[in-house]
Amino acid sequence: RICIFSQQNPYFTKSKSVLGSLLLFKVFLFVVLDLRYNKITDEGANHLAELLQENVALESLNLMGNDITAEGAKFLGRCLHMNKTLKTLRLTGNKIGNRGAMHLASMLQMNSSLEALDISDCDLVTQSLIAFAIVLCSNKSIRAIDLGRPLLFSHQEETTLHLCRALKVNQHLQELHLGKHGITDTGVERLCEALRENETLRYLDLRCNSIARDGARYLADLLKQNSTLEILDLSWNRIEDEGAAHLSQAIALHNSSLRALSIPSNSIGSAGLVLLAKAMDVNSSLSHIYIWGNKLEEPACVAFADLIKSGRLSEGCTDVSPYEVDGRVYLAEVFHGLRRHYYWTPSFGQDGDPNCNSALALIASS
């Protein structure tokens, strides 16, 4: 495993310096290469493409937060057409745009080994999202894909409909991230219809969309029938008390597979939060729940404090911690979540605290 990550070290401020060092490792069979935040340009991506052709053991390549554009994505896509070893590619935050995304979508038609692809925050547009949806209809190797924060200017949710068609026929995908897609209750209804025919998806990420109480109701109806979904991320939507009530009923009475539920900043009041706390008392499989950013009034604070004190909810599995002032119970925020430290790397110590990226820990443990 090789990690070259330093925002302070002046030696690693230019892609040529990094890749000059990289050439020294061509003879070694390293498995993980982490080059986050190193200002790697298209020229550097071309060198990396050459490295991928020579290294027969590399399984994971992290290029998050560099300066790679469509041309660099073309180099990487072409070298991966026949690659048989790379399993994980992360390009988060590189502005590859529609042209670069189309090169990667074309690569997925040929590649049969890549299992995880992260192209969130890469300025994808409607055309490239539809291309990925079409590829997912036939690709049998991809297990996880992040298509977060595309640049969409239509309110018709065409991309959501295309992804729904892919979910109906794809029985290999386990993790799907659709954050910041502008998905509404109508789009959620179509997703749930598709997921009734899907038996493999375990992680559904719908954070930062426009989902309200009706969307939560559709998801609750899905949870009553679905036995594979383990992680549901609804952070930064607006399901309110009624949506929380629908979810709590499904969790308490019908579902035994969901392990993590993330609902921060959903305008949920005490009524909905108390119902969710009661559902956790009944359902023993739900181990992680995140609620910060809602209306944490005293009844909700007491309910979750009781869950933590009784041992039903571990403090490492939620984003709140109880404390008392003058006999009243309050909840403080704890920096835990499904993807709280996604863009964060500590300057020292261990990277990847499972409490700060619980979704990764859940997938790994299962």
Side-chain angles (χ1 to χ4, degrees), residues 3 25 56 74 76 83 85 92 104 144 168 190 205 208 220 230 237 241 260 279 288 298 311 315 356:
C3 177
F25 295 106
V56 296
K74 180 181 74 173
L76 292 170
N83 183 280
T85 58
T92 315
L104 294 176
K168 287 182 179 180
R190 299 293 178 265
D205 177 6
C208 303
E230 296 182 11
N237 283 283
D241 283 339
H288 295 64
E298 189 172 16
E315 289 198 30
C356 299

Side-chain angles (χ1 to χ4, degrees), residues 111-172:
N111 185 285
S112 60
S113 61
L114 196 66
E115 296 181 0
L117 176 63
D118 186 345
I119 47 173
S120 59
D121 298 295
C122 286
D123 292 351
L124 276 63
V125 298
T126 299
Q127 182 184 5
S128 43
L129 283 177
I130 292 175
F132 278 108
I134 293 172
V135 169
L136 287 174
C137 290
S138 56
N139 186 287
K140 298 181 179 180
S141 62
I142 288 290
R143 300 291 185 268
I145 188 166
D146 191 334
L147 302 170
R149 209 226 70 179
L151 302 180
L152 304 178
F153 300 99
S154 170
H155 297 287
Q156 301 301 315
E157 300 189 74
E158 301 98 329
T159 56
T160 304
L161 295 177
H162 280 277
L163 288 166
C164 289
R165 296 190 186 102
L167 286 172
K168 287 182 179 180
V169 298
N170 187 307
Q171 297 300 320
H172 303 276

Side-chain angles (χ1 to χ4, degrees), residues 17-320:
S17 300
V18 176
L19 293 166
S21 303
L22 211 76
L23 295 176
L24 298 175
F25 295 106
K26 277 191 174 184
V27 296
F28 296 102
L29 299 180
F30 51 89
V31 175
V32 177
L33 182 57
D34 189 341
L35 292 172
R36 285 173 285 179
Y37 307 111
N38 274 294
K39 297 185 179 180
I40 295 174
T41 62
D42 293 338
E43 181 185 355
N46 190 20
H47 289 300
L48 282 168
E50 295 173 1
L51 178 68
L52 283 169
Q53 292 177 338
E54 297 184 26
N55 187 293
V56 296
L58 187 64
E59 296 182 1
S60 177
L61 177 60
N62 188 347
L63 297 174
M64 174 191 289
N66 282 291
D67 297 322
I68 299 171
T69 65
E71 193 68 14
K74 180 181 74 173
F75 294 138
L76 292 170
R78 285 181 177 176
C79 82
L80 290 175
H81 274 199
M82 305 306 293
N83 183 280
K84 301 295 184 183
T85 58
L86 194 70
K87 295 182 179 180
T88 301
L89 175 62
R90 177 171 288 179
L91 288 169
T92 315
N94 291 280
K95 305 307 177 184
I96 65 173
N98 181 59
R99 190 162 63 91
M102 295 299 285
H103 284 298
L104 294 176
S106 175
M107 174 270 295
L108 290 180
Q109 292 181 312
M110 304 286 293
N111 185 285
S112 60
S113 61
L114 196 66
E115 296 181 0
L117 176 63
D118 186 345
I119 47 173
S120 59
D121 298 295
C122 286
D123 292 351
L124 276 63
V125 298
T126 299
Q127 182 184 5
S128 43
L129 283 177
I130 292 175
F132 278 108
I134 293 172
V135 169
L136 287 174
C137 290
S138 56
N139 186 287
K140 298 181 179 180
S141 62
I142 288 290
R143 300 291 185 268
I145 188 166
D146 191 334
L147 302 170
R149 209 226 70 179
L151 302 180
L152 304 178
F153 300 99
S154 170
H155 297 287
Q156 301 301 315
E157 300 189 74
E158 301 98 329
T159 56
T160 304
L161 295 177
H162 280 277
L163 288 166
C164 289
R165 296 190 186 102
L167 286 172
K168 287 182 179 180
V169 298
N170 187 307
Q171 297 300 320
H172 303 276
L173 190 67
Q174 297 180 12
E175 184 173 333
L176 177 61
H177 298 268
L178 300 177
K180 302 180 183 179
H181 273 238
I183 298 174
T184 64
D185 292 342
T186 302
V188 172
E189 184 179 13
R190 299 293 178 265
L191 276 172
C192 291
E193 290 173 359
L195 288 173
R196 288 190 177 90
E197 301 180 34
N198 184 289
E199 298 179 352
T200 58
L201 194 73
R202 296 162 56 193
Y203 184 178
L204 178 61
D205 177 6
L206 298 174
R207 71 190 190 284
C208 303
N209 280 293
S210 301
I211 302 170
R213 59 186 182 184
D214 288 338
R217 177 165 57 86
Y218 298 135
L219 288 167
D221 291 340
L222 173 68
L223 290 175
K224 293 176 183 178
Q225 305 173 24
N226 185 287
S227 59
T228 57
L229 197 63
E230 296 182 11
I231 304 171
L232 178 59
D233 191 348
L234 291 173
S235 309
W236 294 285
N237 283 283
R238 196 178 180 85
I239 67 172
E240 301 181 319
D241 283 339
E242 290 188 45
H246 290 304
L247 290 174
S248 62
Q249 183 187 34
I251 292 168
L253 301 177
H254 304 280
N255 184 277
S256 59
S257 62
L258 194 68
R259 301 172 63 192
L261 175 64
S262 183
I263 49 171
S265 301
N266 266 273
S267 300
I268 304 173
S270 289
L273 293 172
V274 169
L275 286 173
L276 286 168
K278 291 180 178 178
M280 286 201 72
D281 266 334
V282 177
N283 186 317
S284 59
S285 62
L286 184 63
S287 58
H288 295 64
I289 188 167
Y290 305 97
I291 63 169
W292 183 259
N294 292 295
K295 301 171 185 176
L296 300 179
E297 299 165 332
E298 189 172 16
C301 295
V302 171
F304 277 88
D306 290 342
L307 284 176
I308 294 172
K309 290 177 182 177
S310 67
R312 171 62 188 87
L313 178 62
S314 169
E315 289 198 30
C317 299
T318 186
D319 57 352
V320 293

